[in-house]
Amino acid sequence: MWGQNKPSSLSSPPPQKKLKLSQFCSQAASSSPKHNRPRACPFYKRIPDTGFSVDAFRYGPIPGCSAYFLTHFHYDHYGGLTKGWSHGPVYCTPLTARLLTICLSLNSLYIHPLELDKEYVIQGVKVTLLEANHCPGAALLHFRLPTGICYLHTGDFRASKLMQAYPLLANNRVNVLYLDTTYCNPKYKFPSKEDVLSYVVRVTKSSLKKQPKTLVVVGAYSIGKESVYLAISKALGVKIYANNSRRRTLKSFGWPDLSTNLCTQATDTCLHVLPISSLRYEV
């Protein structure tokens, strides 16, 4: 079914090796140096006048750092966190906390989940996590010091008009902004998330109309692109196939509409989610 009887590079991906959960969750690590010596933590990962650092795990134990914050579960941000982590408490969203346990086997004694939109006082600093509109569990970090100075560390985020309405940002001045500037250039103008999903669904339906046995493949890292394949699943009324490791990860999100639409057999659906590293395009 769905192009699997007649293998081709476009309709049916090549066989994959089964990945252990630890390998699956750390795919991005394979392209990164494994034996880097700890470097000095750069200033933009430290929150002034606090013992806080953000996404700075690759630097090992940081002098003067007593609390480590993680914006989201992507390797370029959590790199350095391992099962043997013991340098200090790790603060993150509950979803990211579950992924640290499932994928990295991080000692739960060091994991401190913080709910979104709730103010916490940590070492005398008021800390609030806000939805970052990035991958599941991603958060903006807002810090208000006893002096009244406010810092906002975005991590990776997708700016949207909704963020302008966040009460904490709309009603309070941010004194210093630590901004992800990957696409901070006027030449980049991206469509809204809703427009992108609508386009993907249209293209998918068009392809299936021309060739009903088309295999629809969505490439993704350990997390990310969930909204894409969930939109396709709902639009087509089909299940989502993913391997054991990914299914376990996705079920940890606690999203009923996603968990109930997963299936275990590749031949049961035309919609497959595969690791980006497994995809090949050949002419």
Side-chain angles (χ1 to χ4, degrees), residues 56-128:
F57 305 97
R58 68 181 68 247
Y59 305 101
I62 301 171
C65 182
S66 51
Y68 295 78
F69 287 81
L70 175 59
T71 57
H72 65 288
F73 194 75
H74 276 162
Y75 182 78
D76 54 332
H77 292 258
Y78 74 72
L81 270 176
T82 64
K83 181 178 181 179
W85 175 267
S86 62
H87 305 319
V90 177
Y91 295 92
C92 57
T93 62
L95 194 157
T96 299
R98 292 196 293 275
L99 293 172
L100 291 177
T101 301
I102 293 173
C103 296
L104 302 183
S105 299
L106 198 70
N107 189 328
S108 61
L109 293 176
Y110 292 98
I111 303 174
H112 297 264
L114 305 177
E115 298 288 347
L116 291 173
D117 302 314
K118 181 178 179 180
E119 184 180 273
Y120 296 85
V121 177
I122 301 173
Q123 299 179 18
V125 177
K126 294 180 179 179
V127 180
T128 307

Side-chain angles (χ1 to χ4, degrees), residues 16 24 67 87 91 109-110 112 122 124 130 149 209 212 216 237 279:
Q16 322 169 54
F24 170 78
H87 305 319
Y91 295 92
L109 293 176
Y110 292 98
H112 297 264
I122 301 173
L130 305 168
I149 297 293
K209 186 176 181 180
V216 181
L279 303 184

Side-chain angles (χ1 to χ4, degrees), residues 18-68:
K18 292 185 178 180
L19 298 177
K20 293 181 179 179
L21 184 62
S22 58
Q23 292 175 308
F24 170 78
C25 293
S26 303
Q27 289 174 52
S30 61
S31 59
S32 305
K34 294 182 179 179
H35 301 294
N36 282 345
R37 293 181 180 178
R39 306 186 303 276
C41 179
F43 77 92
Y44 51 84
K45 290 186 176 291
R46 296 294 303 266
I47 303 301
D49 301 316
T50 72
F52 300 167
S53 67
V54 178
D55 297 342
F57 305 97
R58 68 181 68 247
Y59 305 101
I62 301 171
C65 182
S66 51
Y68 295 78

Side-chain angles (χ1 to χ4, degrees), residues 122-144:
I122 301 173
Q123 299 179 18
V125 177
K126 294 180 179 179
V127 180
T128 307
L129 275 58
L130 305 168
E131 171 61 50
N133 195 27
H134 183 48
C135 68
L140 310 173
L141 306 179
H142 185 279
F143 305 96
R144 179 183 291 276

Side-chain angles (χ1 to χ4, degrees), residues 161-176:
K161 290 184 178 180
L162 178 62
M163 290 179 177
Q164 299 176 30
Y166 288 171
L168 191 62
L169 302 182
N171 302 325
N172 296 279
R173 179 185 179 87
V174 171
N175 300 96
V176 179

